[in-house]
Amino acid sequence: MIKNVVTWLVGVWVAAAAAAESWSARSPGAPYVPTPDRIVEEMLDLAEVDPSDYVMDLGSGDGRIVIQAVQRGAAGQGVERNRSLVHDARLNAQRAGIGDRVAFVDEDLFATNLSRASVVTMYLLPDQNARLRPKLLEQLRPGTRIVSHGFEIGLWEPDKKVEVELGPGNMRLVNLWIVPADVRGRWQWLLDGRRFTWQVSQDFQKLDSMLDADGITIALENVELRGRTLAFAAEDDGLRYTFSGRVGDGQIEGIAHASGGAQPRVIAWHAVLQA
């Protein structure tokens, strides 16, 4: 019994010492806990990283996430405050033969310019994620994918969650967000000789909206916003319209599928944001 207690206390002391060392090395910020390779693969798969992407890893540690992204053909950058880890990441990239396609910088992730990224990855503490949220929404283009190992971004609900089992009783969560376009406001378009008005309020990617045609309210269904891609359905007086389009600067360009009349139709759809 005494032997078991002593063994347990030694284990606790070793874990505490390691955690203290990590906290000291990365202060201020999260302790360095490497992301398992299986989770790295899932993060990159979930973000659908391909050669067109520029991946930025916040709190990049030994560089493994960005290195694996670059090995998939992407380019990227790791941001890390621990200079020793920055050095290790650069060596790891050189050993992998990709040192010219990736950069690792000693920089405060809250000061880093994220605007170049098409994918952002992170394994940070919940309060750091929440502090980063305004910056992510301000600097990242609509359609940019954000993937987090373990923790969410405050009140911003993920677009998708995946559970990964690393072993018996060891489940990890990987979260995906897609930065939404700003569609708040009052939109109008003409269709079938009628003027449609769509009034939208927005909470991240979730939309609360009302549609009317010539002042008559129409029921809305399946409203979805993913980046700049928008889709919803509307039904009125036996006619059903399924709208899909891409949000630009004050405009939506797409198509509407109309059914319920003499025959199904595909109609060009152009909506304009009203001042």
Side-chain angles (χ1 to χ4, degrees):
M1 176 69 176
I2 294 176
K3 182 179 180 181
N4 290 339
V5 171
V6 170
T7 301
W8 177 80
L9 288 172
V10 170
V12 170
W13 180 85
V14 171
E21 182 179 357
S22 293
W23 273 102
S24 176
R26 287 171 64 84
S27 181
Y32 174 54
V33 180
T35 297
D37 287 339
R38 175 71 187 88
I39 301 297
V40 174
E41 293 174 7
E42 186 63 48
M43 292 173 74
L44 299 178
D45 287 346
L46 195 56
E48 299 180 352
V49 170
D50 65 30
S52 69
D53 284 313
Y54 190 86
V55 178
M56 294 188 69
D57 185 29
L58 306 182
S60 52
D62 63 6
R64 63 184 63 193
I65 293 179
V66 181
I67 288 171
Q68 288 195 36
V70 172
Q71 288 172 333
R72 294 185 178 206
Q77 175 178 302
V79 181
E80 172 60 57
R81 288 304 303 271
N82 183 326
R83 292 182 180 179
S84 177
L85 288 172
V86 172
H87 175 73
D88 291 347
R90 290 170 178 166
L91 286 179
N92 290 336
Q94 292 292 340
R95 292 186 184 117
I98 58 169
D100 60 334
R101 293 161 52 200
V102 62
F104 292 98
V105 297
D106 173 10
E107 193 169 83
D108 181 353
L109 59 87
F110 292 100
T112 299
N113 187 333
L114 305 177
S115 60
R116 186 178 177 184
S118 60
V119 175
V120 171
T121 59
M122 52 195 189
Y123 183 22
L124 303 170
L125 296 175
D127 65 316
Q128 291 178 304
N129 286 356
R131 284 178 58 201
L132 274 171
R133 186 180 68 221
K135 181 183 184 73
L136 294 168
L137 289 167
E138 177 185 352
Q139 294 190 356
L140 297 177
R141 299 180 300 274
T144 301
R145 291 92 74 201
I146 303 168
V147 188
S148 170
H149 171 200
F151 303 111
E152 297 187 9
I153 308 177
L155 299 175
W156 185 6
E157 294 184 9
D159 289 276
K160 188 173 183 179
K161 300 181 182 182
V162 174
E163 284 190 336
V164 182
E165 184 174 4
L166 297 181
N170 186 3
M171 300 296 295
R172 302 291 183 90
L173 193 63
V174 179
N175 301 295
L176 169 71
W177 296 261
I178 301 174
V179 177
D182 185 353
V183 295
R184 293 171 296 174
R186 182 168 168 265
W187 299 82
Q188 285 192 340
W189 63 90
L190 293 173
L191 190 66
D192 285 343
R194 306 170 75 187
R195 180 173 297 277
F196 287 77
T197 301
W198 187 39
Q199 187 70 42
V200 186
S201 59
Q202 182 172 359
D203 185 17
F204 304 111
Q205 73 272 44
K206 296 184 177 181
L207 305 183
D208 184 8
S209 60
M210 184 175 66
L211 179 67
D212 71 57
D214 293 334
I216 299 174
T217 301
I218 299 175
L220 277 172
E221 301 174 5
N222 306 323
V223 181
E224 184 179 66
L225 177 65
R226 287 177 62 86
R228 292 190 181 276
T229 302
L230 177 69
F232 59 90
E235 189 164 347
D236 177 53
D237 196 25
L239 283 176
R240 180 176 178 83
Y241 297 100
T242 303
F243 295 92
S244 60
R246 183 171 174 80
V247 181
D249 293 332
Q251 300 184 67
I252 304 171
E253 295 282 356
I255 58 173
H257 292 265
S259 59
Q263 60 182 9
R265 294 169 295 140
V266 178
I267 311 164
W269 173 42
H270 176 73
V272 177
L273 183 64
Q274 304 300 296

